[in-house]
Amino acid sequence: MYKLFSQIFRFLPLRPALAPIHGVARNLMERAEARAGRNPQQAQELRGAARAYLSVVR
């Protein structure tokens, strides 16, 4: 059974893993853009959180 699974998974394309930096900061910035029209204060806080995260990770 293991041999069958290994043969199947060998042919599946592997996606390169993105660094967690891109995931968290990007998510925060996308949320900030979505909130910019409705709540500019919250959008600014999300942008600040993204900048703070990037400064800590780098």
PDB file of all heavy atoms in Angstrom, residues 2 4 9 11 15 19 21 24 26 29 33 36 39 41 43-44 46:
ATOM      1  N   TYR A   2       1.929   1.250   0.813  1.00  0.00           N
ATOM      2  CA  TYR A   2       2.831   2.399   0.874  1.00  0.00           C
ATOM      3  C   TYR A   2       3.479   2.655  -0.482  1.00  0.00           C
ATOM      4  O   TYR A   2       3.637   3.796  -0.900  1.00  0.00           O
ATOM      5  CB  TYR A   2       3.900   2.175   1.949  1.00  0.00           C
ATOM      6  CG  TYR A   2       4.949   3.249   1.970  1.00  0.00           C
ATOM      7  CD1 TYR A   2       4.676   4.480   2.523  1.00  0.00           C
ATOM      8  CD2 TYR A   2       6.197   3.026   1.415  1.00  0.00           C
ATOM      9  CE1 TYR A   2       5.624   5.476   2.527  1.00  0.00           C
ATOM     10  CE2 TYR A   2       7.153   4.013   1.419  1.00  0.00           C
ATOM     11  CZ  TYR A   2       6.865   5.239   1.976  1.00  0.00           C
ATOM     12  OH  TYR A   2       7.812   6.216   1.976  1.00  0.00           O
ATOM     13  N   LEU A   4       2.271   2.034  -3.414  1.00  0.00           N
ATOM     14  CA  LEU A   4       1.281   2.634  -4.300  1.00  0.00           C
ATOM     15  C   LEU A   4       1.164   4.137  -4.033  1.00  0.00           C
ATOM     16  O   LEU A   4       1.171   4.944  -4.956  1.00  0.00           O
ATOM     17  CB  LEU A   4      -0.078   1.956  -4.118  1.00  0.00           C
ATOM     18  CG  LEU A   4      -1.243   2.575  -4.885  1.00  0.00           C
ATOM     19  CD1 LEU A   4      -1.022   2.414  -6.379  1.00  0.00           C
ATOM     20  CD2 LEU A   4      -2.545   1.942  -4.453  1.00  0.00           C
ATOM     21  N   PHE A   9       2.104   9.942  -5.361  1.00  0.00           N
ATOM     22  CA  PHE A   9       2.568  11.254  -4.924  1.00  0.00           C
ATOM     23  C   PHE A   9       3.820  11.719  -5.649  1.00  0.00           C
ATOM     24  O   PHE A   9       4.114  12.907  -5.693  1.00  0.00           O
ATOM     25  CB  PHE A   9       2.796  11.283  -3.414  1.00  0.00           C
ATOM     26  CG  PHE A   9       1.514  11.281  -2.629  1.00  0.00           C
ATOM     27  CD1 PHE A   9       1.213  10.244  -1.779  1.00  0.00           C
ATOM     28  CD2 PHE A   9       0.611  12.319  -2.768  1.00  0.00           C
ATOM     29  CE1 PHE A   9       0.034  10.240  -1.066  1.00  0.00           C
ATOM     30  CE2 PHE A   9      -0.573  12.324  -2.056  1.00  0.00           C
ATOM     31  CZ  PHE A   9      -0.863  11.277  -1.210  1.00  0.00           C
ATOM     32  N   PHE A  11       4.239  11.801  -8.775  1.00  0.00           N
ATOM     33  CA  PHE A  11       3.860  12.507 -10.000  1.00  0.00           C
ATOM     34  C   PHE A  11       3.024  13.760  -9.753  1.00  0.00           C
ATOM     35  O   PHE A  11       2.710  14.484 -10.678  1.00  0.00           O
ATOM     36  CB  PHE A  11       3.116  11.554 -10.935  1.00  0.00           C
ATOM     37  CG  PHE A  11       3.986  10.439 -11.426  1.00  0.00           C
ATOM     38  CD1 PHE A  11       3.787   9.148 -10.991  1.00  0.00           C
ATOM     39  CD2 PHE A  11       5.027  10.693 -12.302  1.00  0.00           C
ATOM     40  CE1 PHE A  11       4.594   8.116 -11.438  1.00  0.00           C
ATOM     41  CE2 PHE A  11       5.847   9.674 -12.749  1.00  0.00           C
ATOM     42  CZ  PHE A  11       5.635   8.384 -12.311  1.00  0.00           C
ATOM     43  N   ARG A  15       4.128  22.519  -5.154  1.00  0.00           N
ATOM     44  CA  ARG A  15       4.178  23.975  -5.184  1.00  0.00           C
ATOM     45  C   ARG A  15       5.281  24.442  -4.253  1.00  0.00           C
ATOM     46  O   ARG A  15       5.419  23.923  -3.144  1.00  0.00           O
ATOM     47  CB  ARG A  15       2.849  24.562  -4.717  1.00  0.00           C
ATOM     48  CG  ARG A  15       1.728  24.287  -5.675  1.00  0.00           C
ATOM     49  CD  ARG A  15       0.409  24.775  -5.180  1.00  0.00           C
ATOM     50  NE  ARG A  15       0.516  26.034  -4.461  1.00  0.00           N
ATOM     51  CZ  ARG A  15      -0.440  26.533  -3.727  1.00  0.00           C
ATOM     52  NH1 ARG A  15      -1.566  25.904  -3.582  1.00  0.00           N
ATOM     53  NH2 ARG A  15      -0.285  27.682  -3.113  1.00  0.00           N
ATOM     54  N   ALA A  19       7.525  31.807   2.013  1.00  0.00           N
ATOM     55  CA  ALA A  19       7.985  32.128   3.354  1.00  0.00           C
ATOM     56  C   ALA A  19       6.826  32.701   4.155  1.00  0.00           C
ATOM     57  O   ALA A  19       5.976  33.397   3.613  1.00  0.00           O
ATOM     58  CB  ALA A  19       9.129  33.135   3.283  1.00  0.00           C
ATOM     59  N   ILE A  21       6.739  35.132   5.948  1.00  0.00           N
ATOM     60  CA  ILE A  21       6.764  36.599   5.904  1.00  0.00           C
ATOM     61  C   ILE A  21       5.742  37.105   4.908  1.00  0.00           C
ATOM     62  O   ILE A  21       4.983  38.025   5.179  1.00  0.00           O
ATOM     63  CB  ILE A  21       8.167  37.104   5.504  1.00  0.00           C
ATOM     64  CG1 ILE A  21       9.185  36.691   6.525  1.00  0.00           C
ATOM     65  CG2 ILE A  21       8.170  38.606   5.318  1.00  0.00           C
ATOM     66  CD1 ILE A  21      10.609  36.879   6.079  1.00  0.00           C
ATOM     67  N   VAL A  24       1.751  36.497   6.173  1.00  0.00           N
ATOM     68  CA  VAL A  24       1.179  37.319   7.231  1.00  0.00           C
ATOM     69  C   VAL A  24       1.113  38.778   6.814  1.00  0.00           C
ATOM     70  O   VAL A  24       0.063  39.424   6.921  1.00  0.00           O
ATOM     71  CB  VAL A  24       1.989  37.165   8.540  1.00  0.00           C
ATOM     72  CG1 VAL A  24       1.497  38.124   9.605  1.00  0.00           C
ATOM     73  CG2 VAL A  24       1.917  35.737   9.027  1.00  0.00           C
ATOM     74  N   ARG A  26       1.278  40.119   3.844  1.00  0.00           N
ATOM     75  CA  ARG A  26       0.388  40.294   2.689  1.00  0.00           C
ATOM     76  C   ARG A  26      -1.073  40.256   3.129  1.00  0.00           C
ATOM     77  O   ARG A  26      -1.887  41.052   2.674  1.00  0.00           O
ATOM     78  CB  ARG A  26       0.660  39.197   1.673  1.00  0.00           C
ATOM     79  CG  ARG A  26      -0.161  39.323   0.438  1.00  0.00           C
ATOM     80  CD  ARG A  26       0.149  38.197  -0.498  1.00  0.00           C
ATOM     81  NE  ARG A  26       0.057  38.649  -1.859  1.00  0.00           N
ATOM     82  CZ  ARG A  26       0.381  37.943  -2.902  1.00  0.00           C
ATOM     83  NH1 ARG A  26       0.860  36.746  -2.741  1.00  0.00           N
ATOM     84  NH2 ARG A  26       0.238  38.417  -4.097  1.00  0.00           N
ATOM     85  N   MET A  29      -1.977  43.527   4.821  1.00  0.00           N
ATOM     86  CA  MET A  29      -2.116  44.634   3.868  1.00  0.00           C
ATOM     87  C   MET A  29      -3.384  44.493   3.022  1.00  0.00           C
ATOM     88  O   MET A  29      -4.050  45.486   2.734  1.00  0.00           O
ATOM     89  CB  MET A  29      -0.882  44.724   2.974  1.00  0.00           C
ATOM     90  CG  MET A  29       0.359  45.170   3.710  1.00  0.00           C
ATOM     91  SD  MET A  29       0.176  46.765   4.520  1.00  0.00           S
ATOM     92  CE  MET A  29       0.415  47.841   3.138  1.00  0.00           C
ATOM     93  N   GLU A  33      -6.448  47.236   2.864  1.00  0.00           N
ATOM     94  CA  GLU A  33      -7.026  47.797   1.645  1.00  0.00           C
ATOM     95  C   GLU A  33      -8.530  47.592   1.607  1.00  0.00           C
ATOM     96  O   GLU A  33      -9.274  48.453   1.151  1.00  0.00           O
ATOM     97  CB  GLU A  33      -6.376  47.167   0.407  1.00  0.00           C
ATOM     98  CG  GLU A  33      -4.940  47.581   0.216  1.00  0.00           C
ATOM     99  CD  GLU A  33      -4.784  49.085   0.049  1.00  0.00           C
ATOM    100  OE1 GLU A  33      -5.578  49.693  -0.682  1.00  0.00           O
ATOM    101  OE2 GLU A  33      -3.868  49.640   0.672  1.00  0.00           O
ATOM    102  N   ALA A  36     -10.145  50.174   4.000  1.00  0.00           N
ATOM    103  CA  ALA A  36      -9.785  51.583   3.827  1.00  0.00           C
ATOM    104  C   ALA A  36     -10.998  52.463   3.565  1.00  0.00           C
ATOM    105  O   ALA A  36     -11.073  53.590   4.060  1.00  0.00           O
ATOM    106  CB  ALA A  36      -8.770  51.727   2.697  1.00  0.00           C
ATOM    107  N   ASN A  39     -13.419  52.028   7.171  1.00  0.00           N
ATOM    108  CA  ASN A  39     -12.845  52.399   8.465  1.00  0.00           C
ATOM    109  C   ASN A  39     -11.364  52.705   8.286  1.00  0.00           C
ATOM    110  O   ASN A  39     -10.515  51.828   8.464  1.00  0.00           O
ATOM    111  CB  ASN A  39     -13.057  51.239   9.457  1.00  0.00           C
ATOM    112  CG  ASN A  39     -12.748  51.639  10.871  1.00  0.00           C
ATOM    113  OD1 ASN A  39     -12.121  52.661  11.128  1.00  0.00           O
ATOM    114  ND2 ASN A  39     -13.182  50.806  11.815  1.00  0.00           N
ATOM    115  N   GLN A  41      -9.282  54.300  10.128  1.00  0.00           N
ATOM    116  CA  GLN A  41      -8.494  54.112  11.353  1.00  0.00           C
ATOM    117  C   GLN A  41      -8.045  52.658  11.484  1.00  0.00           C
ATOM    118  O   GLN A  41      -6.883  52.378  11.766  1.00  0.00           O
ATOM    119  CB  GLN A  41      -9.324  54.511  12.579  1.00  0.00           C
ATOM    120  CG  GLN A  41      -8.635  54.277  13.910  1.00  0.00           C
ATOM    121  CD  GLN A  41      -7.464  55.204  14.127  1.00  0.00           C
ATOM    122  OE1 GLN A  41      -7.441  56.310  13.596  1.00  0.00           O
ATOM    123  NE2 GLN A  41      -6.496  54.760  14.901  1.00  0.00           N
ATOM    124  N   ALA A  43      -7.810  50.502   9.049  1.00  0.00           N
ATOM    125  CA  ALA A  43      -6.895  50.222   7.946  1.00  0.00           C
ATOM    126  C   ALA A  43      -5.484  50.668   8.307  1.00  0.00           C
ATOM    127  O   ALA A  43      -4.510  49.958   8.041  1.00  0.00           O
ATOM    128  CB  ALA A  43      -7.374  50.905   6.673  1.00  0.00           C
ATOM    129  N   GLN A  44      -5.367  51.825   8.923  1.00  0.00           N
ATOM    130  CA  GLN A  44      -4.060  52.318   9.338  1.00  0.00           C
ATOM    131  C   GLN A  44      -3.433  51.415  10.396  1.00  0.00           C
ATOM    132  O   GLN A  44      -2.230  51.165  10.376  1.00  0.00           O
ATOM    133  CB  GLN A  44      -4.175  53.752   9.862  1.00  0.00           C
ATOM    134  CG  GLN A  44      -2.850  54.414  10.146  1.00  0.00           C
ATOM    135  CD  GLN A  44      -2.001  54.535   8.892  1.00  0.00           C
ATOM    136  OE1 GLN A  44      -2.509  54.667   7.780  1.00  0.00           O
ATOM    137  NE2 GLN A  44      -0.712  54.470   9.066  1.00  0.00           N
ATOM    138  N   LEU A  46      -3.953  48.184  10.709  1.00  0.00           N
ATOM    139  CA  LEU A  46      -3.522  46.963  10.035  1.00  0.00           C
ATOM    140  C   LEU A  46      -2.226  47.190   9.264  1.00  0.00           C
ATOM    141  O   LEU A  46      -1.339  46.332   9.246  1.00  0.00           O
ATOM    142  CB  LEU A  46      -4.616  46.459   9.097  1.00  0.00           C
ATOM    143  CG  LEU A  46      -5.843  45.854   9.784  1.00  0.00           C
ATOM    144  CD1 LEU A  46      -6.971  45.654   8.783  1.00  0.00           C
ATOM    145  CD2 LEU A  46      -5.484  44.550  10.462  1.00  0.00           C
TER     146      LEU A  46
END
